Coordinates of all heavy atoms in Angstrom, one line a residue:
Chain A
A249 N 21.5 2.9 10.5 CA 20.1 3.5 10.3 C 19.3 3.3 11.6 O 18.2 3.8 11.8 CB 19.4 2.9 9.2
I251 N 17.9 0.4 12.3 CA 16.8 -0.5 12.1 C 17.1 -1.8 12.8 O 16.3 -2.5 13.3 CB 16.6 -0.8 10.6 CG1 16.1 0.6 9.9 CG2 15.6 -1.9 10.2 CD1 16.0 0.5 8.5
I269 N 15.8 4.0 16.0 CA 15.8 4.6 14.7 C 16.6 5.9 14.6 O 16.4 6.8 15.4 CB 14.3 4.8 14.3 CG1 13.6 3.4 14.0 CG2 14.2 5.7 13.1 CD1 14.1 2.7 12.8
N270 N 17.5 6.0 13.6 CA 18.4 7.2 13.5 C 17.7 8.2 12.5 O 17.7 7.9 11.4 CB 19.7 6.7 13.0 CG 20.7 7.9 12.9 OD1 20.4 9.0 13.1 ND2 22.0 7.4 12.7
Q271 N 17.2 9.3 13.0 CA 16.5 10.2 12.3 C 17.4 11.3 11.8 O 16.9 12.2 11.1 CB 15.3 10.9 13.1 CG 14.4 9.7 13.5 CD 13.0 10.3 14.0 OE1 13.0 11.5 14.6 NE2 12.0 9.6 13.9
V273 N 19.7 10.5 9.4 CA 20.1 10.0 8.2 C 19.1 10.0 7.1 O 17.9 10.1 7.4 CB 20.7 8.5 8.4 CG1 21.8 8.4 9.3 CG2 19.6 7.6 8.7
Y275 N 17.7 7.5 4.0 CA 17.8 6.0 3.7 C 17.1 5.7 2.4 O 16.0 6.1 2.1 CB 17.1 5.4 4.9 CG 17.1 3.9 4.9 CD1 18.2 3.2 5.2 CD2 16.0 3.2 4.5 CE1 18.2 1.8 5.3 CE2 16.0 1.8 4.6 CZ 17.1 1.0 5.0 OH 17.1 -0.2 5.1
T277 N 16.7 2.4 -0.6 CA 17.1 1.0 -0.9 C 16.7 0.6 -2.3 O 16.1 1.4 -3.0 CB 16.2 0.0 0.0 OG1 14.8 0.2 -0.2 CG2 16.5 0.2 1.5
A279 N 14.6 -1.6 -3.3 CA 13.1 -1.6 -3.4 C 12.6 -0.2 -3.2 O 13.2 0.6 -2.5 CB 12.5 -2.5 -2.3
D280 N 11.5 0.2 -3.9 CA 11.0 1.5 -3.9 C 10.4 1.7 -2.5 O 9.4 1.0 -2.1 CB 9.9 1.7 -4.9 CG 10.5 2.0 -6.3 OD1 11.5 2.7 -6.4 OD2 10.2 1.4 -7.3
A281 N 10.8 2.8 -1.8 CA 10.1 3.1 -0.5 C 9.3 4.3 -0.5 O 8.7 4.6 0.5 CB 11.2 3.3 0.5
V282 N 9.2 5.0 -1.7 CA 8.3 6.1 -1.9 C 6.9 5.5 -1.6 O 6.6 4.4 -2.1 CB 8.3 6.8 -3.2 CG1 9.6 7.5 -3.2 CG2 8.2 5.9 -4.3
L283 N 5.9 6.2 -0.9 CA 4.7 5.7 -0.6 C 3.7 5.8 -1.8 O 3.6 6.8 -2.4 CB 4.1 6.5 0.5 CG 4.9 6.4 1.9 CD1 4.3 7.3 3.0 CD2 5.0 5.0 2.4
P284 N 3.2 4.6 -2.2 CA 2.4 4.5 -3.5 C 1.1 5.3 -3.5 O 0.6 5.7 -4.5 CB 2.2 3.0 -3.7 CG 2.5 2.5 -2.4 CD 3.4 3.3 -1.6
W285 N 0.7 5.6 -2.3 CA -0.6 6.3 -2.2 C -0.4 7.8 -2.0 O -1.4 8.6 -1.9 CB -1.5 5.9 -1.0 CG -0.7 5.7 0.2 CD1 -0.4 6.6 1.2 CD2 -0.1 4.5 0.8 NE1 0.4 6.1 2.2 CE2 0.6 4.8 1.9 CE3 0.0 3.1 0.2 CZ2 1.3 3.8 2.6 CZ3 0.7 2.2 0.9 CH2 1.4 2.5 2.0
R286 N 0.8 8.3 -2.2 CA 1.1 9.8 -2.2 C 1.6 10.2 -3.5 O 2.5 9.4 -4.1 CB 2.2 10.2 -1.0 CG 1.6 9.9 0.4 CD 2.7 10.2 1.4 NE 2.7 11.5 1.8 CZ 1.9 12.1 2.6 NH1 1.0 11.3 3.3 NH2 1.9 13.4 2.9
L294 N 6.6 14.8 2.5 CA 6.3 14.1 3.8 C 7.3 14.3 4.9 O 7.0 14.6 6.0 CB 6.2 12.5 3.5 CG 5.9 11.7 4.7 CD1 4.6 12.1 5.4 CD2 5.8 10.2 4.3
P295 N 8.7 14.2 4.7 CA 9.7 14.4 5.7 C 9.5 15.7 6.3 O 9.9 15.9 7.5 CB 11.1 14.1 5.1 CG 10.8 14.1 3.7 CD 9.4 13.7 3.4
R297 N 6.8 17.6 6.4 CA 5.6 17.7 7.3 C 5.9 16.9 8.6 O 5.5 17.5 9.6 CB 4.5 16.9 6.5 CG 3.2 17.0 7.1 CD 2.1 16.6 6.1 NE 1.0 16.3 7.0 CZ -0.2 15.8 6.4 NH1 -0.3 15.7 5.1 NH2 -1.2 15.6 7.2
L298 N 6.6 15.9 8.6 CA 6.9 15.1 9.9 C 7.8 16.0 10.8 O 7.8 15.8 11.9 CB 7.6 13.8 9.5 CG 6.7 12.8 8.8 CD1 7.6 11.6 8.4 CD2 5.6 12.4 9.6
R299 N 8.5 17.0 10.2 CA 9.4 17.8 10.9 C 8.7 19.1 11.2 O 9.4 20.2 11.6 CB 10.6 18.0 10.2 CG 11.7 16.9 10.4 CD 12.5 16.6 9.2 NE 13.0 15.2 9.1 CZ 14.1 14.8 9.7 NH1 14.9 15.5 10.3 NH2 14.4 13.5 9.6
F326 N 1.2 9.8 -9.3 CA 1.5 8.8 -8.3 C 2.5 7.9 -8.7 O 2.9 7.6 -9.9 CB 0.2 7.9 -8.1 CG -0.8 8.7 -7.4 CD1 -2.0 9.2 -8.0 CD2 -0.8 8.8 -6.0 CE1 -2.9 9.9 -7.3 CE2 -1.8 9.5 -5.2 CZ -2.9 10.0 -5.9
A328 N 3.0 4.8 -9.2 CA 2.7 3.8 -10.2 C 2.6 4.3 -11.6 O 2.7 3.6 -12.6 CB 1.4 3.1 -9.9
Q342 N 13.3 13.5 -2.2 CA 12.8 13.4 -0.7 C 14.0 13.6 0.2 O 13.9 14.4 1.1 CB 12.3 12.1 -0.6 CG 11.3 11.9 0.6 CD 10.7 10.5 0.6 OE1 11.3 9.6 0.2 NE2 9.4 10.4 0.9
Y346 N 14.7 17.3 3.0 CA 15.0 17.5 4.4 C 16.5 17.5 4.7 O 16.9 17.7 5.8 CB 14.2 16.5 5.3 CG 14.6 15.1 5.4 CD1 15.3 14.5 6.4 CD2 14.3 14.3 4.2 CE1 15.6 13.2 6.5 CE2 14.7 12.8 4.3 CZ 15.3 12.4 5.4 OH 15.7 11.0 5.6
Chain B
V585 N 1.3 -4.6 5.8 CA 2.1 -3.4 5.4 C 3.5 -3.7 5.3 O 4.1 -4.5 6.0 CB 1.9 -2.4 6.6 CG1 2.7 -1.2 6.4 CG2 0.4 -2.0 6.7
N586 N 4.1 -3.1 4.2 CA 5.6 -3.3 3.9 C 6.3 -2.7 4.9 O 6.3 -1.5 5.1 CB 5.7 -2.7 2.5 CG 7.1 -2.9 2.1 OD1 8.0 -3.4 2.8 ND2 7.3 -2.7 0.8
L588 N 9.3 -1.9 5.0 CA 10.2 -0.9 4.4 C 9.6 0.5 4.6 O 10.3 1.5 4.9 CB 10.6 -1.3 3.0 CG 11.5 -0.2 2.3 CD1 12.8 -0.3 2.9 CD2 11.6 -0.6 0.8
Y589 N 8.2 0.6 4.3 CA 7.6 1.9 4.3 C 7.6 2.4 5.7 O 7.8 3.6 6.0 CB 6.1 1.7 3.9 CG 5.9 1.4 2.4 CD1 4.8 0.7 2.0 CD2 6.9 1.7 1.5 CE1 4.5 0.4 0.7 CE2 6.7 1.4 0.2 CZ 5.5 0.7 -0.2 OH 5.3 0.3 -1.5
N591 N 9.9 1.7 8.2 CA 11.2 2.1 8.5 C 11.6 3.4 8.0 O 12.2 4.3 8.7 CB 12.2 1.0 8.2 CG 12.2 -0.2 9.1 OD1 11.9 0.0 10.3 ND2 12.5 -1.4 8.6
T592 N 11.3 3.6 6.6 CA 11.8 4.8 5.9 C 11.0 6.0 6.5 O 11.6 7.1 6.8 CB 11.6 4.9 4.4 OG1 10.4 4.2 4.2 CG2 12.7 4.0 3.8
T593 N 9.6 5.8 6.8 CA 9.0 6.9 7.4 C 9.5 7.3 8.8 O 9.5 8.5 9.1 CB 7.5 6.5 7.4 OG1 7.0 6.2 6.1 CG2 6.7 7.8 7.9
R594 N 9.9 6.3 9.5 CA 10.3 6.6 10.9 C 11.7 7.3 10.8 O 12.0 8.3 11.5 CB 10.5 5.3 11.7 CG 9.2 4.7 12.1 CD 9.3 3.5 12.9 NE 10.0 3.9 14.3 CZ 10.6 2.9 15.0 NH1 10.5 1.6 14.6 NH2 11.0 3.3 16.2
I595 N 12.5 6.9 9.8 CA 13.9 7.5 9.7 C 13.7 8.9 9.1 O 14.5 9.9 9.6 CB 14.7 6.7 8.6 CG1 15.2 5.4 9.3 CG2 15.9 7.6 8.1 CD1 15.9 4.4 8.3
M596 N 12.7 9.2 8.4 CA 12.4 10.6 7.9 C 11.9 11.4 9.0 O 11.6 12.6 8.8 CB 11.4 10.5 6.8 CG 12.0 10.3 5.4 SD 10.9 10.4 4.1 CE 9.6 9.2 4.3
G597 N 11.6 10.9 10.1 CA 11.3 11.7 11.3 C 9.8 11.4 11.8 O 9.3 12.2 12.7
G598 N 9.3 10.3 11.4 CA 7.8 10.0 11.8 C 7.8 9.3 13.1 O 8.6 8.3 13.4
G599 N 6.9 9.5 14.0 CA 6.7 8.8 15.2 C 5.6 7.8 15.0 O 5.2 7.6 13.9
A602 N 2.5 9.2 13.3 CA 2.7 9.5 11.9 C 2.8 8.2 11.0 O 2.2 8.2 10.0 CB 4.1 10.3 11.7
R605 N -0.8 7.0 10.6 CA -1.6 7.9 9.7 C -1.1 7.8 8.3 O -2.0 7.7 7.4 CB -1.5 9.2 10.3 CG -2.1 10.2 9.4 CD -2.5 11.6 10.2 NE -3.1 12.4 9.1 CZ -3.0 13.6 9.1 NH1 -2.3 14.3 10.1 NH2 -3.5 14.4 8.2
H606 N 0.2 7.9 8.2 CA 0.7 7.9 6.7 C 1.0 6.7 6.1 O 1.1 6.7 4.8 CB 1.9 8.9 6.8 CG 1.7 10.3 7.1 ND1 0.8 11.2 6.5 CD2 2.0 11.0 8.2 CE1 0.7 12.3 7.1 NE2 1.5 12.3 8.1
V607 N 1.3 5.6 6.9 CA 1.7 4.4 6.2 C 0.6 3.3 6.5 O 0.1 2.7 5.5 CB 3.0 4.0 6.8 CG1 3.4 2.7 6.1 CG2 4.1 5.0 6.6
I608 N 0.3 3.0 7.7 CA -0.5 1.8 8.1 C -1.9 2.0 7.5 O -2.5 1.1 6.8 CB -0.5 1.6 9.5 CG1 1.0 1.1 9.9 CG2 -1.5 0.4 10.0 CD1 1.2 0.9 11.4
P610 N -3.4 4.1 5.3 CA -3.6 4.2 3.8 C -3.2 2.7 3.2 O -3.8 2.3 2.3 CB -2.6 5.3 3.3 CG -1.9 5.8 4.5 CD -2.4 5.2 5.7
S611 N -2.3 2.1 3.7 CA -1.8 0.8 3.2 C -3.0 -0.3 3.4 O -3.2 -1.0 2.5 CB -0.6 0.4 3.8 OG -0.2 -0.9 3.4
V684 N -10.5 6.6 -3.1 CA -9.6 6.3 -2.0 C -8.3 5.6 -2.7 O -7.2 5.9 -2.3 CB -10.1 5.5 -0.9 CG1 -9.0 5.1 0.0 CG2 -11.1 6.4 -0.1
R686 N -7.2 5.7 -5.7 CA -6.9 6.3 -7.1 C -5.4 6.2 -7.4 O -5.1 6.4 -8.5 CB -7.3 7.8 -7.1 CG -6.6 8.6 -6.3 CD -7.3 10.1 -6.0 NE -6.6 10.9 -5.1 CZ -6.7 10.8 -3.8 NH1 -7.3 9.8 -3.3 NH2 -6.0 11.7 -3.1
W687 N -4.6 5.9 -6.4 CA -3.1 5.9 -6.6 C -2.8 4.5 -7.3 O -1.7 4.2 -7.7 CB -2.3 5.9 -5.3 CG -2.9 5.2 -4.2 CD1 -3.8 5.5 -3.3 CD2 -2.4 3.8 -3.8 NE1 -4.0 4.4 -2.4 CE2 -3.2 3.4 -2.8 CE3 -1.6 2.9 -4.4 CZ2 -3.1 2.2 -2.1 CZ3 -1.3 1.7 -3.7 CH2 -2.1 1.2 -2.7
R688 N -3.8 3.5 -7.3 CA -3.4 2.2 -7.8 C -3.4 2.4 -9.3 O -4.2 3.0 -10.0 CB -4.5 1.2 -7.5 CG -4.3 0.8 -6.0 CD -5.1 -0.4 -5.8 NE -4.7 -1.1 -4.7 CZ -5.2 -2.3 -4.3 NH1 -6.2 -2.8 -5.0 NH2 -4.8 -2.9 -3.2
P689 N -2.5 1.5 -9.9 CA -2.5 1.6 -11.4 C -3.7 1.1 -12.0 O -4.3 0.1 -11.5 CB -1.3 0.7 -11.7 CG -0.9 -0.1 -10.6 CD -1.5 0.7 -9.4

Side-chain angles (χ1 to χ4, degrees):
Chain A
I251 296 171
I269 288 290
N270 186 350
Q271 299 195 330
V273 301
Y275 182 80
T277 60
D280 284 313
V282 289
L283 300 175
W285 44 86
R286 298 178 82 87
L294 182 60
R297 188 168 161 177
L298 296 175
R299 280 151 207 266
F326 285 102
Q342 204 174 35
Y346 73 105
Chain B
V585 175
N586 184 346
L588 178 63
Y589 295 154
N591 282 333
T592 41
T593 304
R594 290 183 66 197
I595 289 171
M596 280 190 294
R605 174 157 177 218
H606 296 297
V607 182
I608 292 171
S611 174
V684 172
R686 65 194 180 285
W687 50 271
R688 285 197 161 180

